[in-house]
Structure formats: C-alpha cells, structure tokens
Amino acid sequence: MKQDNIQGGKTKGWARVLLIIIPNFIIVGLFQFAGAYVSGKEISPEYVQETTEQHLITSFFGLLGTLLVIYLFVELVDDERFADVGLHLKNHKKGILLGLIAGLFIIVAGYLVLEALNQIEFAETIFLGSEFLMTGFLFLIVSISEEIFFRGYVLRNFMESMNKYVALLVSALLFALMHAANPNLSLIGNINLFLAGVVLGLPYIYTKNLMFPIAFHFSWNFFQSLFGFNVSGLDSYSLIEFKTTQDTWVNGGDFGFEGSVLAILFQITLIVALYVVFNNKKKEKLSIGM
C-alpha cells in the first residue's frame, strides 16, 4: 500500500482531500448540532452570540466529529495509522514549548506596539476563573481540531500529490477560505489567515508532526483573547479590556489582531525564521551524512 501511494500519489492525494470534504462537513456539522442542543444554544441560521460554556461544548462535540472522520479516513482509506497524522510526542516536546512562546511573544509585542502608537488604550482587567479556564480549553480544542484536519490530513495528502511548498500554499488557502464566513473579515484579515496557514504548515512539511502547529495555534488564539482582541472576528472572554478610538488597518478593528497589518509583519518574520531554521537543520543532516 505504501508503494502504491508513492506510485499513484499525484492522483490519490488530491482524491483523498476531495473525498473527505463532504463527509467531514456533514459529520462534524451533526456533532456540532448535537453539542449546540446539549449546551442549550439557540439554533438559528443567523449568527448567535454564544456563552463561553456553550462554545466550549459545541467545539468539543465538533472535535469528536473531526477525530471520527479523520480516524476512519486514515485507517480505512489511507490504510495507515491514525497517529501518523503527526501526533507523536516523543522528540517533539520542544516544539510545544516553542509554539507556546512564539504565540505569546507575538501577541504581547503586538499589544505593546499598538499601545505605543496610541491605537489602543488600556481600560481594565477582569479576572473570572471559570471563564479563564473554559477559554483555555476552548482554544485548545479548536487548535487540535483544525490542525489535525488541515495539517495532519489535508496538507499531508497534498504533499503526496505535489511539491511540498505548493502543497503548503494550497492548504493555507483552504485554511483561509474556511474562515471566510467569520464576522468583520477584511482583506488584511484574509491575508493574515493565509499567512497563519503557512506558519502552521511550514514546520509540518519538515517534521510531519503537529506539536508545534497545535501549540502555536492555541497560544495565538488564547493570548489574543486574553489581551482583549477578537479572535478571527469572534468575541470571547478577555482578561484585559482596551478601548480604540477608531477601527483601523493598524489595530485590526472588530476582526481583532488578525485584522492588523502588524500581524502580517510578525507572521512574515516568523515564516522566514522557520524556513531558515529548518533548512539549516536539513543542510546539517546532509553534511553529516556525507
């Protein structure tokens, strides 16, 4: 089966991604619907603001649906092990730490720069223990779910079909399109979502491991929320509240930090840094092998 994958990868990789889209949409949607029902959320075709608890429950059910779909496709269609999507912890603990630090550093730096530019003004801090914990679990669930699907399955299969960098860009574009229905989305927000897909996927094409992407995705979202930003246009609990005089392309407006040009600069810098680090490691291995 492995040999078949190599020989027919250009067709099979694309086919697997196309094949999983509709089942994933239906099954995850049904799980999320069940989660919304359990949480008591109002079911409406229009956007309805959820409580953190409702969002957490709905996202948890969505994660269960995602795990089920990916497990079935990896085991039955790909004929591989579910862990092969990149869930190996051994030798990748450093990736978790680096991902957490990178996300925290970018958000803190972004907040401080915006404050220095008078784009935002600190208002107050509001610590609510239950909200803090639920928000943490919520963004952990979201990061695991999206990374297993987009990097662990979509990018992994695209890499069997095409050049790894092309696969990275295509998967990043799909990642951005998935968020196209988010409220308050702007052109800069679209660019940042695409760049986020590149940041999250770049380590994966070298390591085939999800520890850094999951950790960075979680850290990016969680600390955005804590520092008062909307996350991809969605409001959630904030430890720090700030005020803006007006929505601008500098502060990101209602879409949050991801709607800010600063996020573009930070992400491009991180992409370059990751590329340099991983290619240097690759060259070192080649020189040792010679």
Side-chain angles (χ1 to χ4, degrees), residues 12-13 74 88 96 108 112 123 127 162 188 190 197 199 219 232 263 276 288:
K12 291 183 178 180
V74 171
H88 301 289
I96 297 176
V108 171
L112 293 176
F127 178 73
M162 60 191 78
I188 293 178
N190 268 311
V199 170
S219 183
S232 300
V276 170
I288 293 174

Side-chain angles (χ1 to χ4, degrees), residues 266-285:
F266 280 123
Q267 289 197 95
I268 289 176
T269 301
L270 182 56
I271 288 169
V272 173
L274 289 171
Y275 178 81
V276 170
V277 168
F278 282 110
N279 274 278
N280 284 341
K281 285 185 177 181
K282 185 177 179 180
K283 290 178 181 178
E284 288 176 6
K285 289 182 179 179

Side-chain angles (χ1 to χ4, degrees), residues 57-77:
I57 294 173
T58 303
S59 297
F60 176 71
F61 273 76
L63 172 61
L64 294 179
T66 298
L67 291 175
L68 174 62
V69 174
I70 300 299
Y71 177 83
L72 291 176
F73 268 77
V74 171
E75 294 281 344
L76 302 180
V77 179

